[in-house]
Amino acid sequence: MPALFPAVRRPRMSARHLPHLVFLVVVAGTLVRLFELNNELCWSIAPPTTALALLYVAGLAGWDRLGGAGRPVWLGTLLALWSWVAWTLPAPLTSAYAWLAVPLAVLAVRMPTRTLRAVALGVVTALLVAVLVRACGGADPDVLAPPIAAVWATAVLYRNQQRLTRELADTRGELARRQREAGRLTERARIARDLHDTLAQELAGSRMLLQAAERDWDRRPDAARRQVRVVTDALGEHLAQTRGIIDDLTPPVLARDGLEAALRELSARTGCAAEAPRISFSAEHAPRALPTEQAVALLRVTQGLLANACEHARATHVHVTLSYGGGTTAAVEVRDDGVGFDPAVVRSNLGSTAAGRGFGLAGARERLSALGGTLTVDTAPGHGTRVRAALPAEDRVPVGAR
């Protein structure tokens, strides 16, 4: 038997199927009693009773095909058969058969317009009263009240269920729409952070190299050419990274050689700028394979931290350290001997992505926080800066040990 609400499908039997089950049980019980009575009248009533059950099931099965015009005709035919059979049945069977008005009332409230629903429900009630009056030999309020109350209560409850189901479907649709919108905003912010930590920082470094090459072009042409070649090589890497952003923001060297190699290459490339501080790199503990998302996050955060050190710290030396805390954490520390800054400003930047310049430290903290990580800043004016980015890491097999 099809669901009553095709737009919200449920695989299991529920209360909304109960009226239809009642209808079929009553019809089947009536047929059994007719066969037990085994008289000529009963045999003449059995075919229309069977036809009533078959028509009921066929209408439910073809509910969508009936459409707005066919459903009232189908219900009218059911009511005509029901009233004829109920009027013809022997009196002992009529009272039980009258309860078919309850599932028929459910069908009445499913009619396409308010007028049709009101008319159908009124016809069901009138036929029910007529059947009960015939069965009781008079209008006994004690006999009429319970079935009529059941019919109208069922109609009201079923109508409310229809309304609530529509509201639930609308709410689910709105929730799905908002989730999709939130996903788009999150993805937009993620891509913006990655562009800030990759292309923006790399292009800023390339610009510094070209400016240095322009100054040295006449006085030191060999140095200027070297700087131009570094920029040319870097632009090739920028192109590969742009493609990496398209391919889920995974840098080629990271995908190929792992996080340690990517950080080593980043440190060497950043330190090539003429005005950049000396940048060194070291790794502690055995290298371990990290999930791609975590490795990308640590690489991008390091990229941003090195850019900050080169642009603002006025440092002579920056050291990058990759460490693994016994398989439970993976961390990158960027330490410089520059001018440092006020920790209160750092806390302000960490408190909101709107604070500070661009995404900066706030963007780094947001990226790490999304993966369960932390960003720790230790600095003071005139005492350099140490920033540690840490992420929880699975205890995986060391790289090269497979």
Side-chain angles (χ1 to χ4, degrees):
M1 187 178 299
L4 298 183
F5 302 23
V8 184
R9 298 189 180 276
R10 298 175 184 173
R12 295 180 297 179
M13 188 75 172
S14 63
R16 61 203 172 99
H17 297 101
L18 186 59
H20 311 311
L21 182 61
V22 169
F23 188 97
L24 296 177
V25 168
V26 171
V27 171
T30 302
L31 285 173
V32 171
R33 291 293 306 276
L34 290 174
F35 292 145
E36 289 177 349
L37 293 175
N38 196 22
N39 59 41
E40 184 176 350
L41 176 62
C42 294
W43 285 109
S44 65
I45 297 175
T49 303
T50 304
L52 178 64
L54 294 177
L55 181 64
Y56 187 91
V57 173
L60 290 177
W63 181 262
D64 293 331
R65 291 190 296 272
L66 286 173
R71 292 168 189 169
V73 175
W74 169 68
L75 178 58
T77 305
L78 284 177
L79 291 175
L81 275 173
W82 169 63
S83 59
W84 185 86
V85 173
W87 196 265
T88 311
L89 279 173
L93 300 180
T94 302
S95 297
Y97 211 70
W99 285 99
L100 290 183
V102 173
L104 290 172
V106 170
L107 299 181
V109 298
R110 295 182 64 194
M111 290 298 101
T113 66
R114 178 178 297 180
T115 301
L116 284 174
R117 289 193 291 269
V119 170
L121 197 55
V123 171
V124 170
T125 305
L127 292 176
L128 173 62
V129 171
V131 169
L132 291 175
V133 168
R134 173 183 175 269
C136 301
D140 185 352
D142 294 335
V143 176
L144 295 178
I148 293 175
V151 165
W152 282 90
T154 301
V156 170
L157 291 174
Y158 196 84
R159 190 64 182 164
N160 288 338
Q161 184 191 39
Q162 285 185 313
R163 179 178 54 80
L164 292 175
T165 302
R166 284 195 300 269
E167 292 176 357
L168 177 60
D170 293 342
T171 301
R172 287 176 175 173
E174 178 65 16
L175 178 60
R177 186 190 67 78
R178 292 187 179 184
Q179 287 176 335
R180 288 192 297 269
E181 181 64 21
R184 283 194 293 268
L185 293 176
T186 301
E187 183 67 9
R188 185 182 303 170
R190 182 176 69 87
I191 292 174
R193 287 195 305 268
D194 284 315
L195 287 174
H196 173 271
D197 292 341
T198 55
L199 294 181
Q201 303 295 353
E202 296 285 1
L203 290 175
S206 296
R207 181 172 178 269
M208 292 173 58
L209 284 173
L210 289 175
Q211 289 172 337
E214 184 180 16
R215 289 193 299 269
D216 294 340
W217 195 260
D218 295 327
R219 295 183 296 103
R220 301 169 56 198
D222 291 340
R225 290 189 185 94
R226 284 197 301 272
Q227 291 165 342
V228 171
R229 284 195 295 271
V230 170
V231 172
T232 301
D233 294 339
L235 288 176
E237 181 66 20
H238 301 345
L239 178 60
Q241 288 183 348
T242 302
R243 290 169 176 162
I245 290 175
I246 298 173
D247 297 331
D248 202 24
L249 301 171
T250 303
V253 65
L254 179 62
R256 184 179 64 248
D257 301 323
L259 179 60
E260 181 177 342
L263 289 173
R264 194 179 299 277
E265 180 180 310
L266 172 64
S267 301
R269 187 171 66 248
T270 306
C272 286
E275 298 180 1
R278 182 170 62 89
I279 300 177
S280 58
F281 173 81
S282 64
E284 299 176 354
H285 312 110
R288 309 187 73 81
L290 293 176
T292 300
E293 188 176 19
Q294 292 188 344
V296 169
L298 288 174
L299 177 62
R300 297 309 189 208
V301 168
T302 305
Q303 206 164 12
L305 295 177
L306 285 177
N308 286 341
C310 292
E311 292 180 27
H312 309 299
R314 300 203 294 273
T316 60
H317 179 222
V318 180
H319 186 72
V320 180
T321 305
L322 170 65
S323 61
Y324 299 90
T328 58
T329 59
V332 176
E333 182 179 283
V334 178
R335 186 175 66 254
D336 67 62
D337 59 359
V339 296
F341 47 87
D342 187 353
V345 176
V346 176
R347 285 192 294 271
S348 175
N349 285 348
L350 288 178
S352 170
T353 57
R357 289 171 53 266
F359 286 92
L361 294 173
R365 190 212 42 139
E366 184 179 332
R367 181 194 288 273
L368 295 170
S369 178
L371 298 175
T374 58
L375 187 73
T376 305
V377 180
D378 182 13
T379 185
H383 291 82
T385 302
R386 182 181 68 88
V387 184
R388 185 174 186 271
L391 284 173
E394 298 177 12
D395 192 4
R396 296 190 172 194
V397 178
V399 175
R402 294 177 182 174

